[in-house]
Amino acid sequence: MSLVREISALWGEYLNDGAVEADDNFFELGGNSLIGIKIIERVAQEYGVELSVRAFYLAQTPTRVAELIEQGRAGT
């Protein structure tokens, strides 16, 4: 499974009854600060990458969050 699909599935656990596409917007799906923090914590646990709340909110889509994770893994 690609990282983007993994992140979409992770978001789906918290948003929109599990139906999250790669370019869906976090806030348009009903995302809020509490859900964002939960997802950020899961990313840290499962991928070993610490995302800032600001970066997560600016990313807004699973595709962009996956890019942040890849950057974090690469140390950039």
Side-chain angles (χ1 to χ4, degrees), residues 16-76:
N16 205 30
D17 297 324
V20 175
E21 299 294 325
D23 294 319
D24 284 347
N25 182 288
F26 177 74
F27 297 105
E28 290 174 4
L29 293 175
N32 59 45
S33 59
L34 181 58
I35 293 170
I37 295 298
K38 289 179 181 181
I39 292 172
I40 290 168
E41 289 173 353
R42 288 277 303 276
V43 166
Q45 291 171 356
E46 295 181 18
Y47 300 97
V49 174
E50 298 285 336
L51 300 178
S52 73
V53 172
R54 182 177 190 276
F56 178 83
Y57 288 161
L58 289 175
Q60 297 185 8
T61 68
T63 297
R64 291 188 188 135
V65 170
E67 291 170 1
L68 292 175
I69 292 169
E70 291 295 342
Q71 290 171 2
R73 287 175 168 171
T76 58

Side-chain angles (χ1 to χ4, degrees), residues 7-18:
I7 298 305
S8 295
L10 172 62
W11 283 28
E13 293 179 28
Y14 297 96
L15 298 166
N16 205 30
D17 297 324

